[in-house]
Amino acid sequence: MKRLTLTDYESLAELRHQIRRFLHFSEAAARAARIEPRQHQLMLAVKGLPKNVRPRISELAERLQIQHHSAVELVNRLAAGGYVQRRHGDDRREVLLHLTSKGERVLRELSLSHREELRMQGPALLRSLNRVMTGTGTKSSDGTGAKKKKRIQRRAL
Amino acid sequence: MKRLTLTDYESLAELRHQIRRFLHFSEAAARAARIEPRQHQLMLAVKGLPKNVRPRISELAERLQIQHHSAVELVNRLAAGGYVQRRHGDDRREVLLHLTSKGERVLRELSLSHREELRMQGPALLRSLNRVMTGTGTKSSDGTGAKKKKRIQRRAL
DNA sequence: CAATAATATGTCGTGGTACGATATATAGGC
DNA sequence: GCCTATATATCGTACCACGACATATTATTG
């Protein structure tokens, strides 16, 4: 379908608002734990990697959807802060990452608060995503026919 | 609950991977349309604002979850590029934003491709969010910790 | 109605992060 | 051994977000 109604824009904007709300929570939580947001994300990616996958630089870059050299920079800072260690694989080109106990501790605290936050705010995020996907609006139904419009009060936060 | 299993970390990491996949798509689409990702987000926020809300700087900053002066910088760049115009409200402290036809055109194209992408990849995002919220894991063929796990297939809304 | 406080926007300097271009180290194929 | 592919690292640049501070306008108050 090649048509966009005002409601479509509102749905997309609302979804981004919900995503940003979560990300902003996450950024603030990371900084409160004395770590930069992206570095937190890399630690989580290391810890959350399936066990049969080696925690290599390029593997993590894919998980974070960044270029490998951006991952290198994150690892530099994390290693400097004592959150991760570099080791070598059998293939000595590879660098394998391991969390230090300091890294484990910080990640654990952050993961707990993130799970909590997602259980609270996740439903709103689900709703806004479903609205974008199904084209269901909070106001009028479609807009193309410009039929009678029913206004529904929108909840501010 | 104060306990985190390996599966919890994997679920959180997988959710972030899905979110990053979408955001990475969005960033690439914006750059392909010759606009910076955050500037695109601000345009969407302007267009997607409920009609009874004035498109002020601080209103948009709240929608994007950034400080007001960060929004000012985005608007500076957008205005310099001819994507938005500044106007004044009755309260002459306020700056109200309007998309130019150029801004409308770019935003429309990006919104179409975003809706398309979300219809394709949205379900994977929904699943990973539901897993974090319900504590349901994916591991069944891994062999490790192969207990009985009930898949809760939840189709929110 | 001037002084002051509150609100809205803007400026400046700094740091984190992402990128493209490029470099180095190791592995694998022939 | 030589050539190519792969994995990681370095360098310079740009975007963006922030804190601290500045300016403009409106509201309050005595």
Side-chain angles (χ1 to χ4, degrees):
Chain A
M1 204 204 309
K2 281 291 179 193
R3 229 185 115 65
L4 285 172
T5 66
L6 225 239
T7 301
D8 290 328
Y9 285 108
E10 288 177 3
S11 300
L12 280 168
E14 176 60 19
L15 172 60
R16 297 307 279 248
H17 181 50
Q18 291 299 329
I19 293 176
R20 277 300 304 153
R21 262 170 58 86
F22 170 59
L23 294 180
H24 186 242
F25 160 83
S26 179
E27 292 156 12
R31 294 200 174 99
R34 321 283 230 120
I35 194 156
E36 291 299 325
R38 298 306 208 174
Q39 297 176 30
H40 165 219
Q41 286 314 293
L42 196 141
M43 285 202 293
L44 177 61
V46 170
K47 181 83 174 183
L49 221 50
K51 281 188 297 299
N52 55 331
V53 178
R54 278 162 298 156
R56 299 175 306 143
I57 294 282
S58 34
E59 189 66 44
L60 296 164
E62 193 283 333
R63 286 262 158 178
L64 301 188
Q65 297 278 292
I66 57 182
Q67 302 297 313
H68 80 271
H69 51 263
S70 301
V72 168
E73 293 170 24
L74 291 176
V75 170
N76 286 344
R77 298 182 187 205
L78 280 167
Y83 297 98
V84 303
Q85 277 185 352
R86 278 179 162 99
R87 294 180 196 168
H88 279 283
D90 293 339
D91 183 335
R92 301 194 46 86
R93 289 172 301 184
E94 291 182 352
V95 166
L96 304 184
L97 296 176
H98 297 269
L99 297 183
T100 63
S101 57
K102 180 180 179 184
E104 288 274 3
R105 204 177 325 122
V106 171
L107 179 60
R108 184 189 134 81
E109 285 310 311
L110 285 172
S111 296
L112 282 167
S113 62
H114 276 68
R115 188 176 60 179
E116 173 81 6
E117 173 75 7
L118 285 166
R119 284 180 176 161
M120 304 272 278
Q121 303 301 334
L125 185 47
L126 284 176
R127 273 195 300 278
S128 59
L129 178 50
N130 271 313
R131 268 185 204 126
V132 171
M133 286 169 35
T134 63
T136 311
T138 35
K139 295 186 172 182
S140 68
S141 53
D142 196 346
T144 41
K147 291 189 178 178
K148 177 173 73 176
K149 297 194 177 183
K150 184 159 70 175
R151 282 292 165 68
I152 293 175
Q153 190 81 6
R154 188 180 266 270
R155 269 189 7 120
L157 74 151
Chain B
M1 204 202 312
K2 281 288 177 192
R3 224 183 115 67
L4 285 171
T5 66
L6 226 242
T7 302
D8 289 328
Y9 285 108
E10 288 176 3
S11 300
L12 279 167
E14 176 60 21
L15 172 60
R16 297 307 279 249
H17 181 50
Q18 292 299 328
I19 292 176
R20 277 300 304 153
R21 263 168 60 85
F22 170 59
L23 293 179
H24 187 242
F25 160 84
S26 180
E27 292 157 13
R31 294 201 174 97
R34 319 283 229 120
I35 194 155
E36 291 298 325
R38 298 305 209 176
Q39 298 176 31
H40 165 220
Q41 287 314 293
L42 196 141
M43 285 203 293
L44 177 60
V46 170
K47 180 84 175 184
L49 221 49
K51 281 189 296 298
N52 55 332
V53 178
R54 279 161 297 157
R56 298 176 305 142
I57 294 282
S58 35
E59 189 65 44
L60 296 164
E62 193 284 333
R63 295 287 283 184
L64 300 188
Q65 297 277 291
I66 57 181
Q67 302 297 313
H68 80 271
H69 51 263
S70 301
V72 168
E73 293 170 25
L74 290 175
V75 171
N76 286 345
R77 297 181 190 204
L78 280 167
Y83 297 99
V84 303
Q85 278 185 351
R86 277 180 162 98
R87 294 180 196 166
H88 278 283
D90 292 339
D91 182 335
R92 301 190 48 83
R93 289 171 300 184
E94 291 181 352
V95 166
L96 304 184
L97 296 175
H98 296 269
L99 297 183
T100 64
S101 57
K102 180 181 179 184
E104 288 274 2
R105 205 179 323 122
V106 171
L107 179 60
R108 184 189 133 81
E109 286 309 311
L110 285 172
S111 296
L112 282 167
S113 62
H114 276 68
R115 187 175 60 179
E116 173 81 5
E117 174 74 7
L118 284 166
R119 285 180 176 160
M120 306 271 278
Q121 304 300 334
L125 185 48
L126 284 177
R127 271 195 301 277
S128 59
L129 178 51
N130 270 314
R131 270 186 203 123
V132 171
M133 286 169 28
T134 64
T136 311
T138 31
K139 320 275 290 187
S140 50
S141 59
D142 196 323
T144 58
K147 276 195 206 167
K148 178 180 93 175
K149 294 204 169 145
K150 195 181 289 183
R151 266 308 239 307
I152 301 175
Q153 199 69 276
R154 223 227 232 153
R155 193 68 187 172
L157 185 70

